[in-house]
């Protein structure tokens, strides 16, 4: 399939890109959206969509690969080897806020968890965070495994995406809340009252 995508030019490439962008938005907004919904958002007929993605699973795999690539690009744009770990993680949070709804969908879509290629790409995305957490200056709590901290990081991003979707906080407040929770925990400085 990669060869087909690489060899597409002109109108075919634009149509594929329109379908992919529509799928990112539509599926991120409604996990149960039909292929007809995606086709309508892409402003193409359902038959056209099926020429590019014969089955729903084909579209989902393509979306998952694209999102994993965007996540890795977001990590690279955050300059993971420049500056203190906390600053790097803040930049990654800022870069990932836009991917929220579709990433949430990908992590909950069962079809994707049985596809070894998609699983490998999602694992590579997570390894990008692991690499940052493995830096000597990460200063992680020694009582917590790096895997726990990585999962906590993604969990906080999920909470941020949900908060943004519900309009409960501004983007700046969400970034600050994620970073405060990640670096200081949920207890205030006077936790003796607990």
């Amino acid at each position: 399939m990669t060869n087909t995508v690489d060899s597409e030019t002109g109108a075919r490439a634009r149509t594929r890109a329109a379908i992919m962008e529509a799928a990112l938005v539509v599926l991120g907004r409604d996990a149960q959206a039909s292929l007809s919904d995606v086709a309508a958002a892409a402003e193409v007929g359902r038959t056209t969509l099926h020429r590019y993605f014969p089955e729903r699973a084909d579209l989902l795999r393509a979306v998952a690969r694209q999102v994993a690539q965007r996540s890795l690009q977001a990590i690279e744009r955050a300059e993971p080897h420049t500056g203190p770990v906390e600053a790097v993680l803040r930049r990654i949070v800022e870069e990932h806020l836009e991917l929220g709804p579709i990433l949430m969908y990908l992590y909950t879509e069962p079809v994707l968890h049985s596809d070894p290629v998609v699983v490998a790409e999602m694992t590579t995305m997570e390894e990008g965070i692991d690499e940052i957490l493995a830096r000597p200056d990460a200063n992680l709590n020694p009582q917590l495994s790096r895997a726990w901290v990585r999962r906590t990081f993604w969990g906080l991003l999920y909470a941020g995406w949900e908060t943004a979707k519900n309009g409960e906080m501004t983007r700046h407040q969400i970034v600050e809340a994620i970073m405060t929770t990640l670096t200081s925990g949920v207890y205030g400085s006077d936790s003796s009252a607990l």
Side-chain angles (χ1 to χ4, degrees), residues 86-87 89-90 93 174-184:
E86 184 176 338
L89 291 175
R90 176 182 296 274
V93 166
I174 291 169
V175 171
E176 290 307 315
I178 290 172
M179 293 309 299
T180 298
T181 307
L182 188 62
T183 60
S184 303

Side-chain angles (χ1 to χ4, degrees), residues 134-180:
R135 284 179 38 180
D137 62 330
N139 198 26
L140 298 180
N141 182 332
Q143 296 176 339
L144 303 175
S145 71
R146 196 164 62 229
W148 176 261
V149 176
R150 183 192 70 239
R151 289 184 186 109
T152 300
F153 175 80
W154 289 111
L156 288 170
L157 271 173
Y158 179 88
W161 298 326
E162 281 289 303
T163 301
K165 184 172 85 175
N166 296 332
E168 298 167 14
M169 296 166 72
T170 67
R171 180 186 173 93
H172 175 75
Q173 289 170 325
I174 291 169
V175 171
E176 290 307 315
I178 290 172
M179 293 309 299
T180 298

Side-chain angles (χ1 to χ4, degrees), residues 88-137:
V88 170
L89 291 175
R90 176 182 296 274
R91 292 191 300 262
I92 290 173
V93 166
E94 291 169 346
E95 289 282 345
H96 274 78
L97 281 182
E98 300 306 316
L99 291 175
I102 194 65
L103 264 174
M104 286 170 38
Y105 170 73
L106 295 183
Y107 276 110
T108 58
E109 175 52 60
V111 169
L112 299 174
H113 298 282
S114 62
D115 186 309
V117 173
V118 172
V119 169
E121 292 202 14
M122 299 291 275
T123 300
T124 301
M125 185 177 77
E126 292 186 355
E127 287 170 350
I129 300 299
D130 255 349
E131 187 179 316
I132 294 159
L133 297 175
R135 284 179 38 180
D137 62 330

Side-chain angles (χ1 to χ4, degrees), residues 1 6 20 31 44 49 66 84 86 112 126 128 134 143 160 163 191:
M1 179 162 178
D6 290 344
M20 291 298 294
V44 299
L49 186 143
Q66 183 158 346
E86 184 176 338
L112 299 174
E126 292 186 355
Q143 296 176 339
T163 301
S191 59

Side-chain angles (χ1 to χ4, degrees), residues 35 53-65 109 111-112 115 118:
L35 292 182
F53 305 102
E55 302 290 332
R56 182 180 177 86
D58 297 323
L59 177 62
L60 296 182
R61 282 192 289 274
V63 165
R65 286 191 298 271
E109 175 52 60
V111 169
L112 299 174
D115 186 309
V118 172

Side-chain angles (χ1 to χ4, degrees), residues 21-59:
E21 286 305 314
L24 292 170
V25 172
V26 170
L27 294 172
R29 190 175 43 227
D30 177 8
Q32 303 305 315
S34 68
L35 292 182
S36 294
D37 296 331
V38 173
E43 299 179 355
V44 299
R46 187 168 168 149
T47 344
T48 300
L49 186 143
H50 279 291
R51 266 184 269 155
Y52 292 86
F53 305 102
E55 302 290 332
R56 182 180 177 86
D58 297 323
L59 177 62

